[in-house]
């Protein structure tokens, strides 16, 4: 049997934009739009009623903004991943939405194939954070480290540093000469110790701890 389609919620206060995205996704194999919302509050209500894999949210919506909506949706039992759409990549709201639990963000004018790829990436549990954009974004709103790494071991700190710099698990394995299982174990420990839901929040935690410019031990 073919795999179940990725179930998507679209939330944006511009009906024409929603219609454009829905049309794109309806002709894309393996993706199903199950609900649409024009406000943040409606998005939260729909997310609570439907089984979803990904919620695609505009940062700026009436009634309830994307930050509050993301926080509510990611707190749901069996919560979907959240992909944030924004007009400007250097936006305080984007940073706050990532802190609230979003798995990534995209500019609204991305080419259609990029949006489809992003939905699939986020649905698979991966973070969608381009290191160069993330560095610029967070540098604008973090002037000094704001997070403690108490309880994090030296090796876990090295792994978190490389995650913050945008390396994949395979690249971390090679850089630190670790097995795949060991890297995954360290990441699991980091998520538990730092109370993070996924890799995107680990990236944010690393920036907040001042690890963006750390260099790994040889």
């Amino acid at each position: 049997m073919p795999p179940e389609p990725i179930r998507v919620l679209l939330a944006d206060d511009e009906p024409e934009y929603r219609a454009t995205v829905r049309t794109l996704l309806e002709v894309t194999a393996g993706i199903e739009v199950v609900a649409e919302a024009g406000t943040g509050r409606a998005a939260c209500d729909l997310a609570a009623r439907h089984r979803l894999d990904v919620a695609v949210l505009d940062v700026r919506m009436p009634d309830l903004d994307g930050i509050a909506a993301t926080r509510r949706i990611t707190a749901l039992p069996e919560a979907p991943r959240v992909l944030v759409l924004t007009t400007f990549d250097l936006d305080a709201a984007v940073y706050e939405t990532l802190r609230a639990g979003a798995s990534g963000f995209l500019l609204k004018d991305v080419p259609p194939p990029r949006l489809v790829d992003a939905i699939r990436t986020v649905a698979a549990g991966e973070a969608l954070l381009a290191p160069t954009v993330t560095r610029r974004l967070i540098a604008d709103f973090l002037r000094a480290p704001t997070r403690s790494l108490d309880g994090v071991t030296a090796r876990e700190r090295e792994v978190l540093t490389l995650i913050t710099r945008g390396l994949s698990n395979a690249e971390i394995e090679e850089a630190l000469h670790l097995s795949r299982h060991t890297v995954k174990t360290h990441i699991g420990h980091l998520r538990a110790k730092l109370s993070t839901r996924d890799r995107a929040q680990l990236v944010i935690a690393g920036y907040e701890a001042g690890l963006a410019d750390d260099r790994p031990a040889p």
Side-chain angles (χ1 to χ4, degrees):
M1 294 179 61
E4 290 191 10
I6 298 169
R7 296 169 59 84
V8 175
L9 162 69
L10 295 178
D12 192 292
D13 62 343
E14 299 178 17
E16 291 183 359
Y17 182 78
R18 286 204 317 273
T20 299
V21 175
R22 183 182 190 112
T23 299
L24 164 68
L25 298 181
E26 282 179 339
V27 298
T28 301
I31 296 180
E32 176 186 1
V33 178
V34 299
E36 290 185 44
T39 70
R41 193 173 303 279
C44 293
D45 291 343
L46 289 167
R49 296 208 310 262
H50 292 275
R51 181 180 62 80
L52 301 170
D53 299 303
V54 178
V56 181
L57 306 182
D58 187 11
V59 166
R60 302 189 184 282
M61 290 185 288
D63 196 16
L64 195 70
D65 66 25
I67 301 170
T70 295
R71 190 173 292 114
R72 292 190 186 186
I73 289 172
T74 56
L76 291 170
E78 301 182 8
R81 304 285 176 176
V82 173
L83 175 63
V84 175
L85 298 179
T86 179
T87 306
F88 305 102
D89 61 356
L90 294 182
D91 188 328
V94 176
Y95 171 59
E96 292 300 332
T97 306
L98 291 171
R99 290 192 67 204
S103 294
F105 68 92
L106 278 181
L107 295 181
K108 293 180 76 170
D109 62 356
V110 295
R114 177 70 173 128
L115 176 57
V116 171
D117 287 345
I119 290 172
R120 288 175 172 152
T121 296
V122 170
E126 296 296 323
L128 191 77
L129 300 174
T132 54
V133 175
T134 308
R135 181 183 296 273
R136 286 168 34 233
L137 172 69
I138 297 178
D140 259 24
F141 306 108
L142 282 180
R143 302 303 177 190
T146 59
R147 181 187 284 261
S148 167
L149 294 180
D150 290 346
V152 172
T153 67
R155 181 59 93 185
E156 289 166 354
R157 182 187 177 101
E158 290 176 327
V159 171
L160 181 58
T161 296
L162 297 184
I163 290 173
T164 304
R165 292 170 60 195
L167 273 67
S168 66
N169 282 13
E171 290 169 330
I172 294 172
E173 294 165 22
E174 183 177 354
L176 299 180
H177 308 292
L178 299 175
S179 69
R180 177 174 304 180
H181 174 75
T182 299
V183 170
K184 289 184 175 180
T185 298
H186 286 316
I187 291 174
H189 290 166
L190 284 165
R191 287 175 57 185
K193 291 179 180 181
L194 300 177
S195 300
T196 54
R197 180 169 178 259
D198 57 20
R199 198 181 192 90
Q201 289 197 310
L202 280 179
V203 172
I204 297 297
Y207 274 94
E208 290 177 339
L211 300 184
D213 295 315
D214 272 16
R215 294 294 180 264

